[in-house]
Amino acid sequence: MKTENKISLFDRAYKNIVEKRNRILSGKINCIPLGFPRFENELPGIEQGKNYLITANSKVGKSQITDWIFLYNTIQQVIDKGLDIRLKIFYFTLEMTAEQKMLSAFSNILYVKEGIRISPKDLRSTKADDVLSQEILDIISKYEPYFKKIEEVVEFIDDIRTGYGIYITVRDYALANGTIHKRKIETQPGVFIEVEDYYEANDPEEYVMVIIDHCSLISPAKNYETGLPMTLHESIGKLSSDHLIKLRNRFKYICVVVQQQMAGQESVENKKYNKLKPSLDGLADNKTTQRDFDYILGLFSPFRHEISEYMNYDITQFKDQIRFLEILGGREGGGGTVCPLYFDGATNYFRELPLPSDKEAINKVYEFIKNIKNNEKY
């Protein structure tokens, strides 16, 4: 830590916007594009110092969309598009093992790069009469650089399950890779104390992400005033409003949290009143998390509820291969903006769909879905 005289807040804020302007003028980026062109008009990309909450009902694809946007998308852009940034991802996988995550990556890259549609289950040769071919193994080896990049930048952690443990793990990394500048404040005449002022990373081009999937699986923290375990509601609140806020505000890290919707969100009563899609009020275990995130994204599957048409898309044609990603809330607007997505659950693949008014493009998607082949990719 370094102690110095205070730099004014105005000076830091003004310097920041000047630097960001100059970065764009010099060909650099200020965010990682999402890869959904129309949606980027409201949510341009993944920014340093922003927190994102992903929510959906159970088994809709909230983990998949999280991985697609924040994991596969970022790594593919660094490798394929030469994005001049460094990545460090702390992935607290509370629901799946690291090996399961890597198998999902195998399926995704096979599809994205070769149009080969094969699920993690099939990669495991679960059927005696359907053993994984040597050809597939050879193709996986061909894309070893992708998987090595995942190993290089992503730290899958499945043995730390408390909010404080998550915070300390990431804070230790920040302290080892940057400097906290301190300033003196006068608490009473002639008495000064040092407090943290701001953080300066050794590598400003490094995007550090903290992904938690999902927050309802964290272990209860201890209330240090009473010595008793907190409730799950309290533990999620502490994680969201304390630990993750500190990581965002102090270090400009990117925190991504997956949070389920309540089971009652899909109740008969909600179906009766057409309130099935994710909502802020439907957040499970602790609704107050919505106050702590810069963007809250909800994922919805109309097919799951036997809806035949949604936002002018023919769901009977798509069946389970369509999702709608909506900005449920954002500090800078954009609420209600919806991104229609083609979805392939077997390969963890998403792509922004044409508008329903573009009949020619939509009919091509319908035709593709009817005739999905192992070596074709939408």
Side-chain angles (χ1 to χ4, degrees):
M1 294 187 183
K2 183 178 179 181
T3 304
E4 57 186 32
N5 294 328
K6 180 181 177 182
I7 300 174
S8 77
L9 179 60
F10 170 82
D11 288 341
R12 290 211 308 271
Y14 186 78
K15 179 183 177 184
N16 181 258
I17 62 173
V18 170
E19 287 177 348
K20 287 186 178 295
R21 176 180 184 272
N22 290 338
R23 287 173 60 81
I24 296 298
L25 293 176
S26 65
K28 295 183 177 180
I29 64 166
N30 289 325
C31 69
I32 302 171
L34 299 178
F36 304 146
R38 295 195 311 275
F39 197 54
E40 287 174 1
N41 290 326
E42 289 295 343
L43 181 55
I46 305 166
E47 291 184 70
Q48 292 173 317
K50 299 290 184 183
N51 284 358
Y52 302 81
L53 181 68
I54 313 295
T55 186
N57 290 303
S58 179
K59 309 303 179 186
V60 168
K62 54 189 178 296
S63 296
Q64 286 94 329
I65 191 65
T66 300
D67 286 352
W68 175 259
I69 292 175
F70 297 97
L71 185 60
Y72 305 140
N73 167 62
T74 55
I75 288 174
Q76 288 169 22
Q77 289 202 55
V78 168
I79 294 178
D80 292 338
K81 298 184 180 180
L83 213 58
D84 187 21
I85 61 170
R86 263 68 64 199
L87 292 171
K88 175 63 179 179
I89 302 175
F90 292 93
Y91 201 127
F92 294 90
T93 173
L94 308 182
E95 197 168 31
M96 297 173 64
T97 66
E99 288 78 9
Q100 288 173 315
K101 284 293 184 184
M102 185 57 78
L103 284 183
S104 180
F106 286 174
S107 292
N108 181 261
I109 296 300
L110 284 170
Y111 186 67
V112 169
K113 306 302 291 185
E114 297 285 342
I116 297 174
R117 190 172 185 269
I118 183 167
S119 71
K121 180 178 67 176
D122 294 329
L123 287 173
R124 298 195 303 269
S125 299
T126 52
K127 299 179 184 177
D129 60 347
D130 191 17
V131 177
L132 186 67
S133 70
Q134 183 61 48
E135 179 186 6
I136 297 297
L137 288 174
D138 292 341
I139 295 174
I140 292 174
S141 296
K142 172 183 172 183
Y143 290 101
E144 184 177 353
Y146 277 89
F147 307 121
K148 290 297 184 183
K149 190 68 176 178
I150 290 176
E151 284 193 71
E152 174 189 332
V153 305
V154 185
E155 191 172 340
F156 290 107
I157 303 170
D158 55 15
D159 60 345
I160 297 175
R161 307 182 72 86
T162 66
Y164 184 70
I166 291 169
Y167 172 72
I168 288 299
T169 300
V170 181
R171 180 181 168 85
D172 285 348
Y173 179 84
L175 295 180
N177 292 275
T179 302
I180 292 181
H181 296 264
K182 304 184 78 175
R183 61 186 173 91
K184 292 180 179 180
I185 61 172
E186 190 173 12
T187 58
Q188 53 183 300
V191 179
F192 294 85
I193 63 171
E194 289 183 338
V195 296
E196 293 185 1
D197 190 15
Y198 67 97
Y199 175 78
E200 185 176 20
N202 293 343
D203 182 2
E205 301 299 327
E206 183 181 48
Y207 279 66
V208 179
M209 299 188 201
V210 182
I211 302 175
I212 302 171
D213 184 16
H214 57 83
C215 67
S216 293
L217 293 176
I218 67 169
S219 299
K222 180 183 287 187
N223 186 318
Y224 289 100
E225 293 181 1
T226 66
L228 299 174
M230 293 182 182
T231 64
L232 179 59
H233 179 277
E234 291 170 332
S235 298
I236 292 174
K238 181 73 171 175
L239 170 71
S240 173
S241 64
D242 187 0
H243 302 316
L244 301 185
I245 291 292
K246 288 178 181 176
L247 294 178
R248 179 193 69 186
N249 292 355
R250 174 61 71 227
F251 306 119
K252 304 304 178 187
Y253 286 175
I254 302 155
C255 299
V256 182
V257 172
V258 178
Q259 183 172 3
Q260 287 197 153
Q261 291 279 291
M262 297 185 298
Q265 192 68 15
E266 297 184 300
S267 66
V268 174
E269 190 72 8
N270 275 18
K271 186 172 183 178
K272 178 180 176 181
Y273 292 103
N274 194 28
K275 294 183 177 180
L276 293 167
K277 68 178 187 177
S279 69
L280 298 179
D281 191 54
L283 291 168
D285 299 312
N286 191 326
K287 295 180 179 63
T288 65
T289 54
Q290 63 186 272
R291 301 184 302 216
D292 305 323
F293 289 84
D294 298 279
Y295 289 99
I296 304 172
L297 305 177
L299 194 68
F300 180 57
S301 169
F303 178 75
R304 180 173 174 136
H305 304 288
E306 301 178 335
I307 298 171
S308 59
E309 184 178 277
Y310 189 78
M311 297 190 72
N312 296 320
Y313 287 91
D314 186 350
I315 307 304
T316 64
Q317 298 272 6
F318 284 100
K319 296 184 171 55
D320 196 36
Q321 293 188 270
I322 189 170
R323 294 291 188 272
F324 292 86
L325 184 66
E326 179 178 355
I327 301 176
L328 301 180
R331 296 190 186 281
E332 297 177 334
T337 302
V338 179
C339 180
L341 297 168
Y342 170 80
F343 170 57
D344 188 332
T347 62
N348 206 137
Y349 177 79
F350 291 85
R351 180 176 171 182
E352 189 176 61
L353 284 166
L355 292 171
S357 57
D358 189 345
K359 299 301 182 183
E360 182 179 354
I362 282 292
N363 286 333
K364 287 181 179 179
V365 180
Y366 293 157
E367 194 63 27
F368 170 81
I369 291 173
K370 288 178 184 176
N371 301 286
I372 288 179
K373 295 180 181 179
N374 199 40
N375 60 348
E376 291 183 359
K377 176 176 73 73
Y378 171 62

